[in-house]
Amino acid sequence: MTSIAAEHLASKTPIVLDCDPGVDDAMAILYGLRAPEVEIVALGTVWGNIDVDTATVNAVRLLEIGGRPDIPVAKGAGRQLIGTEPTFAELIHGPAGTGSTILPPPSGQHTGEHAVTQMIRLAYERPGELTLVAIGPLTNLGIALATDPGIATRYKEVVIMGGAFLWPGNITPVAEANIWHDPEAARIVLEAPWPVTLVPLDVTEQAQVTGEMLDQLRDTNTPAGTHLHLISYIYLSAYEARFARREAAMHDGLALAIAVDPTLVQEAPLTRVDIELNGAHTRGMTVADLRPIPNLERANARVVLKAEGNRFVRRWFNVLASWD
Ligand code: RIB
Ligand code: CA
């Protein structure tokens, strides 16, 4: 490990995490609870992989499994800003966002504060300190910006798992799920004057967790290892059906890891990113100016095109496997 990476891993980065757990969200959240370089300050939940009520129950349960029931969970938006009724991803994440397993409810509850209110409050309580990491649709972030644009100068940076640039989409040929679910919210987020890093499918599809790793985590007999193995069957099988190998992308885990250890990033040009809203075939597409000489006058995001996904996966596994 380089000394720069060691420096990043030596200090804790305080994170507000907006999530839609969801299986790969769960892999990210449990990593965040265990990794010494991460301080999860609060969780906000949003619809996406599953309905927001179920995502909220799953978030509370994950904190209990990770031994941190003290971390607040605030329930957020249950649907996209514009459009018809929301659709969810049960075929990938299971009918309750926990794969093929239906689990008893956790003993705890969400705080009753709305995720948007929590997001705004924390921006003012800890100005310049917090990194906002979004690993679900951007509805909460869009509403927060519309409610109080001032948060854009109070978060240190925003890291988003979202988009597909030199890689196919996963919902349509050109659109990635988190952006496609609420493209209007994504546009609001990208128009705001805050530092945005997009962690797209281009790199998250290279951060693959294998069935063998999950078997080994089960064999640790820790609550986290047992839970992740339990909820991952459908997620792994969905990937195996497509790619004929029992491994699956840790989209959200890589985004969280990059937020706390930027040395994982190998190529991330600052450029202009627009969201297609109207195309019959391209709605939800992330359109970046990746020309050799881009027009940087309206640059609004760093797009991570290359990252050390394998180094993240090794660290993710070692951190979770060493959970005593
Ligand atoms: O496209 C991948 C993203 O959509 C991940 O955040 C996954 O959890 C789903 O929300
Ligand atoms: Ca997610």
Side-chain angles (χ1 to χ4, degrees):
M1 183 188 306
T2 64
S3 57
I4 302 173
E7 177 190 311
H8 283 285
L9 299 183
S11 59
K12 276 191 179 297
T13 301
I15 301 284
V16 175
L17 188 65
D18 202 71
C19 57
D20 61 335
V23 175
D24 64 318
D25 300 69
M27 295 172 178
I29 292 166
L30 289 172
Y31 174 75
L33 294 176
R34 177 67 178 165
E37 69 271 20
V38 182
E39 176 197 357
I40 295 184
V41 172
L43 292 185
T45 61
V46 68
W47 73 285
N49 288 326
I50 198 70
D51 65 275
V52 68
D53 289 312
T54 305
T56 305
V57 166
N58 290 343
V60 171
R61 184 190 297 111
L62 284 164
L63 294 177
E64 293 178 0
I65 289 168
R68 291 300 309 277
D70 57 298
I71 294 175
V73 176
K75 178 177 142 187
R79 55 148 296 148
Q80 67 273 43
L81 295 181
I82 305 285
T84 56
E85 283 308 301
T87 56
F88 308 120
E90 294 92 338
L91 294 179
I92 306 289
H93 295 268
T98 51
S100 49
T101 310
I102 301 299
L103 295 169
S107 52
Q109 298 283 332
H110 61 91
T111 61
E113 184 178 37
H114 194 283
V116 169
T117 307
Q118 174 179 266
M119 193 181 292
I120 295 169
R121 174 176 56 78
L122 289 171
Y124 283 82
E125 284 179 2
R126 298 179 63 173
E129 288 181 40
L130 301 174
T131 297
L132 181 56
V133 178
I135 56 174
L138 299 175
T139 313
N140 288 339
L141 280 74
I143 297 170
L145 285 164
T147 305
D148 185 339
I151 67 168
T153 57
R154 288 171 174 81
Y155 274 99
K156 182 179 171 190
E157 68 167 323
V158 186
V159 178
I160 296 165
M161 192 281 130
F165 295 90
L166 304 175
W167 198 272
N170 58 0
I171 293 284
T172 74
V174 294
E176 177 277 328
N178 287 339
I179 305 299
W180 178 84
H181 269 122
D182 198 337
E184 280 76 15
R187 174 177 282 192
I188 293 170
V189 169
L190 285 169
E191 294 299 353
W194 50 9
V196 172
T197 297
L198 289 169
V199 182
L201 296 178
D202 304 59
V203 290
T204 63
E205 287 289 2
Q206 319 301 324
Q208 299 276 331
V209 60
T210 67
E212 291 78 13
M213 288 178 188
L214 288 160
D215 291 345
Q216 290 172 34
L217 289 178
R218 171 202 55 200
D219 296 343
T220 64
N221 290 317
T222 59
T226 304
H227 181 74
L228 287 177
H229 182 271
L230 193 64
I231 68 171
S232 299
Y233 183 81
I234 291 181
Y235 194 69
L236 280 169
S237 303
Y239 269 82
E240 190 173 24
R242 267 188 284 170
F243 302 113
R245 58 185 189 274
R246 197 153 182 76
E247 53 188 43
M250 286 202 282
H251 305 287
D252 296 338
L254 183 61
L256 175 60
I258 285 174
V260 301
D261 179 8
T263 69
L264 287 166
V265 174
Q266 294 168 305
E267 182 184 341
L270 173 67
T271 190
R272 174 71 193 178
V273 177
D274 287 295
I275 306 294
E276 176 54 52
L277 301 179
N278 304 308
H281 308 288
T282 54
R283 178 168 161 81
M285 181 177 185
T286 45
V287 182
D289 186 349
L290 297 176
R291 292 173 293 186
I293 306 177
N295 175 355
L296 293 182
E297 285 170 21
R298 299 170 58 237
N300 57 351
R302 286 198 176 284
V303 177
V304 181
L305 295 176
K306 286 186 183 164
E308 292 184 74
N310 290 333
R311 176 157 68 92
F312 157 65
V313 172
R314 286 196 301 275
R315 174 155 182 78
W316 177 87
F317 179 77
N318 291 334
V319 164
L320 286 171
S322 64
W323 203 323
D324 47 24

